[in-house]
Amino acid sequence: MSNIVRLVWFDLKPDLKPPVWIIMEWVVFLVQVGVYGAIITQLVNNPLVGDYRQFFAVGLLIMITFDMGSHTGRHFVEHAHEGRLPYLLSLPISRTQLFLTIALQGGAELALMLAVPLTITLLIIGNLTLVSVAACVLTLFWLGFGVAGLMLALSFIAFKSSDLYTAIVTGLSAIIIRFSTVLYPFIVLPPQYASAAAFSPLTYGSDLVRFILGFDPGILLNPYYAVVVLTALAVSTLGLGAVLVQRLVEGVKSA
Amino acid sequence: MHAVETAGLTKQYGKVFALRNLDFTINENEIMVLLGPNGSGKTTLLLILATVLKPSSGYAKVMSLDVTAQPTRVRRILGISFQEARGFWRHKPADILRFHANVCGVPKAERDTLIESLLKDLELWDARNKLFMHLSGGQAKRLEVAKVFVQRPKFAIIDEPTSQVDLRGKRKIWAQILKLRKEGSTILVATNEVREAEYLADRVTVLDEGRKVVCDTVRQLKDSITGGDIVELEVEVTEPQILEKALTELEGTVKVTNRGGNRFKAYVSMAESWVPKMTDVCYQNKARISSIRITEPSLDDVFLHFTGRALREDS
C-alpha cells in the first residue's frame, strides 16, 4: 500500500508546485457561475427549473468530474507514449496495485479540482447538511471512477492506434456531454434528445446529485435508476480496466 | 543453478518474430553481454525478463522464478535500466533516484549517502536540481543507469548502458557495472558496442534476427574463428620461399601471404599458440625475426563470422 501512495504522491507533487492548473479550473468555475450563470439565469425562466444558476452550477460540477475521469484515462495513454509505462511496469508492485495507483491518482486529482467548486455550489444552493455533502461527494466520485474506468478501458485502443483513440474519445466525449441532462432537465427535452440522454452516464450523475441537493424530483430521473446505472458503470469499466492491465498491457509504445 | 534461464522463448508480433525459440542461461554473479544489431531481439529479451513484456511461448526464469507466473516476485529482485531514459520529465534527478530507491526498498539510512555519491560519480551532481526535461541526452542516460546502481538488485538488466554518453562517462558507468558485480549482482547488458562488450563481458551471447547465434567467453569466441588472428611478420632470411612454405605447413595456419621481400602476413587460429611454433620454424630456417605484429579478431569479426553480416551494417 505504501508504494501505491508513494507513486501517487510522486506523480502528483509537480502539479502542486504551484497548483496553477487547479486554481485556473477554480477560477474558470467561478467565472462560469458568476458571469455566464448570472446571464443565462435571466434568459431561462421556467417555473419547473426554478433558479437556473443552481441547476447550471451542478451541471458544471458534473462536467469537471467527467473531464477529470477522461484525464485519468488520457494520463495512462500519455504514460505509454512518453515511455514511462515500461518503467512503471518494471517496479516491484503488482499490476493490480498499479491500476489502483492510476485510479487513486485520478481520485486525488478529482478531489482537488472539486474542492472549491463543490463548496461554492453547496453555498449557492444552501443545502449544507452532512448527509447531503457526503452523498454528493460519493456520487461525484462514483461517476468519476465510472468515466475513468471507461476511458482506461478505451485507452487500450491507443496501443494499436493513438489517432483512433483520440478520435473515439473526442467523439464519445462530445456525445456523452451534449446528449445528457447536465445543462437541461430531462422533462424539457424533446423525445429524440431524451432517448439519447438516457444512455449518457452524465444524465444519471447530474440528476442524482441534484436529487441529493434537494432539486424538485419531478424534473429528474428516478434516483434509484441513477444509483444502479452509476454502480454498474463504475464496477464494469473499472473491472474491465483492471483485467486489461493485469492481462494485456505490455509496455510498448503505440504505433 | 542458473540465475537466468530461458527455454524455447518466443515473442511474436503478428507475423513478425522478435525472438525465436531462445534457449539461454546466465550464471550467478556473471556479466552476460547480449550483442547484436538493432532489431536482433536484445531489448525484447530484456523486457520479457523484466516482466514488462509477456512471451508468446516458452518460458523464462529469473532466480528460479517464472516471469509469467510470478512476475511481482521477479520484479522484487531485479532492476532495469531502459534503452531510453524514461521521462518523469517534470521531476529532478535527485528526486527521481530517491523515489526509485524508496519504492525498491533501499534502506532509508543509506539512501541519501548512496544517491549523493552516485550523482557525484556520474557527474550529475551539478544537474541534481534541474528538471529531467532540461537534462542533456547523456545526462538523462546516466540518470537512467544510476537507478540500477542505487537499487543494487540481485539481477540487473542494463540496455545499452552508454549510448549517448561520452568516453569519460562510459568509463564511469563501466566501473559502476563492475562494482555492482563485485557486490554480488548478476548482470545482463545489451549493447551493439563491441568495445563495451569486450570490456565488460564474462560471456557474450550473439543474437541475430531473434535467434541465439553463439554464446561463449570473448576469448573462446575469438579463438573459434579459423584464421581470425593475423600475424604480420618481418624477417631477415635468404630463402623466403622456403620459409613461407614452412609457415604454411605449420599447425594452425590458414593462409600465408608474402607481402614483398621478407614481409609475411599469416592468417592463423589462436595466435598465442602459433607464435612459439613459428619462432621455432624461423630458427630452423635461419631466419631472424625483425618484427611481429599480432592482431586478434574483434567481436565485429566474430559477428561477421557467425552470421555472414557485419554488426555495424545494421546498427
Side-chain angles (χ1 to χ4, degrees):
Chain A
M1 187 63 193
S2 56
N3 271 347
I4 297 176
V5 176
R6 267 186 207 119
L7 194 50
V8 169
W9 176 237
F10 187 67
D11 217 11
L12 202 58
K13 207 166 47 172
D15 291 339
L16 306 175
K17 289 177 163 180
V20 178
W21 67 297
I22 295 170
I23 292 169
M24 287 310 294
E25 280 284 345
W26 295 346
V27 171
V28 168
F29 180 84
L30 274 171
V31 172
Q32 286 273 58
V33 172
V35 180
Y36 184 73
I39 295 166
I40 196 76
T41 304
Q42 304 298 313
L43 299 173
V44 177
N45 191 9
N46 188 323
L48 289 171
V49 179
D51 182 354
Y52 183 73
R53 180 155 31 184
Q54 294 181 4
F55 193 93
F56 179 66
V58 173
L60 287 179
L61 282 184
I62 297 296
M63 284 200 275
I64 292 174
T65 306
F66 179 80
D67 279 348
M68 288 312 299
S70 306
H71 171 77
T72 302
R74 268 201 305 274
H75 202 54
F76 185 65
V77 173
E78 281 165 11
H79 276 177
H81 286 193
E82 288 168 5
R84 196 191 304 184
L85 188 58
Y87 173 67
L88 297 177
L89 292 172
S90 74
L91 289 175
I93 55 175
S94 69
R95 297 289 182 260
T96 310
Q97 286 178 313
L98 180 62
F99 187 77
L100 265 176
T101 303
I102 298 162
L104 199 64
Q105 188 173 342
E109 285 172 341
L110 179 60
L112 287 168
M113 285 291 185
L114 282 180
V116 169
L118 181 62
T119 308
I120 293 169
T121 306
L122 291 172
L123 286 172
I124 291 172
I125 295 169
N127 189 342
L128 274 172
T129 67
L130 193 64
V131 174
S132 67
V133 173
C136 205
V137 168
L138 197 67
T139 305
L140 290 170
F141 270 84
W142 214 216
L143 175 66
F145 279 132
V147 174
L150 182 67
M151 294 302 170
L152 280 171
L154 285 173
S155 72
F156 290 90
I157 297 167
F159 289 98
K160 299 289 178 198
S161 163
S162 53
D163 289 343
L164 181 63
Y165 171 78
T166 307
I168 289 176
V169 169
T170 307
L172 200 63
S173 303
I175 292 168
I176 286 177
I177 294 176
R178 270 64 180 188
F179 288 98
S180 73
T181 58
V182 167
L183 296 174
Y184 331 100
F186 196 75
I187 54 156
V188 302
L189 298 179
Q192 298 89 342
Y193 192 109
S195 315
F199 288 98
S200 169
L202 300 197
T203 294
Y204 298 95
S206 53
D207 277 17
L208 186 57
V209 170
R210 287 183 182 121
F211 175 80
I212 292 163
L213 293 179
F215 281 68
D216 178 5
I219 64 166
L220 306 171
L221 284 174
N222 187 327
Y224 297 109
Y225 288 161
V227 171
V228 170
V229 169
L230 292 179
T231 305
L233 177 76
V235 171
S236 62
T237 58
L238 282 175
L240 180 63
V243 168
L244 288 170
V245 167
Q246 187 75 35
R247 293 186 182 276
L248 296 180
V249 71
E250 294 192 332
V252 287
K253 290 184 182 181
S254 68
Chain B
M1 186 189 79
H2 295 297
V4 175
E5 183 187 351
T6 76
L9 194 67
T10 301
K11 180 67 185 176
Q12 198 176 350
Y13 297 100
K15 289 178 181 172
V16 179
F17 284 87
L19 281 179
R20 295 166 193 258
N21 266 319
L22 187 75
D23 298 333
F24 168 79
T25 56
I26 308 177
N27 299 320
E28 275 194 45
N29 201 217
E30 178 181 48
I31 299 181
M32 170 67 83
V33 170
L34 286 178
L35 188 68
N38 294 338
S40 58
K42 301 188 301 287
T43 299
T44 302
L45 174 59
L46 302 191
L47 293 179
I48 288 175
L49 293 176
T51 78
V52 173
L53 291 180
K54 292 185 181 113
S56 306
S57 61
Y59 74 80
K61 287 181 179 178
V62 175
M63 309 288 175
S64 303
L65 298 169
D66 189 296
V67 297
T68 312
Q70 301 155 291
T72 310
R73 290 183 65 192
V74 171
R75 286 194 289 275
R76 286 195 191 114
I77 55 170
L78 74 79
I80 179 168
S81 161
F82 292 93
Q83 192 178 105
E84 290 165 40
R86 304 291 172 176
F88 280 104
W89 55 283
R90 292 176 302 165
H91 293 78
K92 296 170 183 170
D95 291 338
I96 291 172
L97 288 184
R98 204 167 290 123
F99 164 75
H100 186 76
N102 203 350
V103 169
C104 296
V106 176
K108 197 177 178 184
E110 50 189 270
R111 214 179 291 156
D112 286 341
T113 324
L114 197 60
I115 289 170
E116 184 180 333
S117 117
L118 262 174
L119 286 173
K120 284 179 176 165
D121 186 53
L122 296 177
E123 296 178 356
L124 286 168
W125 183 248
D126 292 341
R128 68 189 183 281
N129 289 321
K130 274 186 181 177
L131 295 181
F132 180 86
M133 61 179 153
H134 295 142
L135 298 181
S136 69
Q139 285 175 324
K141 185 67 198 180
R142 275 179 275 158
L143 177 64
E144 181 63 29
V145 289
K147 283 185 201 161
V148 170
F149 301 144
V150 83
Q151 184 185 346
R152 291 175 298 170
K154 268 189 178 173
F155 176 46
I157 298 174
I158 310 177
D159 196 357
E160 299 194 4
T162 59
S163 59
Q164 299 186 64
V165 178
D166 58 26
L167 190 59
R168 190 179 150 91
K170 279 180 201 284
R171 291 193 183 283
K172 290 195 177 261
I173 289 172
W174 292 344
Q176 285 288 346
I177 291 174
L178 294 174
K179 186 178 165 206
L180 194 64
R181 194 263 301 270
K182 203 173 171 186
E183 289 171 352
S185 296
T186 302
I187 303 169
L188 177 59
V189 174
T191 186
N192 50 23
E193 280 198 34
V194 169
R195 217 156 67 89
E196 186 162 77
E198 294 193 327
Y199 189 84
L200 293 173
D202 292 320
R203 284 193 300 154
V204 172
T205 295
V206 176
L207 288 183
D208 189 35
E209 296 179 346
R211 290 192 181 89
K212 183 174 83 176
V213 177
V214 66
C215 173
D216 216 325
T217 61
V218 174
R219 184 73 266 151
Q220 288 293 332
L221 287 176
K222 288 182 175 183
D223 287 348
S224 65
I225 303 179
T226 313
D229 291 351
I230 299 168
V231 181
E232 289 172 271
L233 194 63
E234 200 169 336
V235 293
E236 290 169 20
V237 64
T238 46
E239 294 181 87
Q241 298 85 351
I242 295 174
L243 179 66
E244 185 180 342
K245 189 167 179 288
L247 291 175
T248 306
E249 285 166 0
L250 254 183
E251 189 194 345
T253 304
V254 173
K255 190 170 79 172
V256 176
T257 54
N258 190 326
R259 300 170 70 208
N262 293 331
R263 292 165 63 221
F264 299 94
K265 189 171 185 178
Y267 295 84
V268 305
S269 304
M270 299 181 70
E272 63 272 27
S273 59
W274 186 86
V275 169
K277 287 182 252 173
M278 176 271 291
T279 54
D280 287 348
V281 168
C282 286
Y283 181 74
Q284 287 156 17
N285 286 277
K286 297 187 172 57
R288 186 163 169 265
I289 300 168
S290 310
S291 74
I292 300 178
R293 183 162 171 251
I294 302 169
T295 315
E296 63 177 18
S298 68
L299 283 174
D300 254 328
D301 300 321
V302 171
F303 189 81
L304 178 68
H305 175 77
F306 283 104
T307 66
R309 294 190 297 118
L311 188 58
R312 291 285 158 196
E313 278 172 11
D314 298 299
S315 42

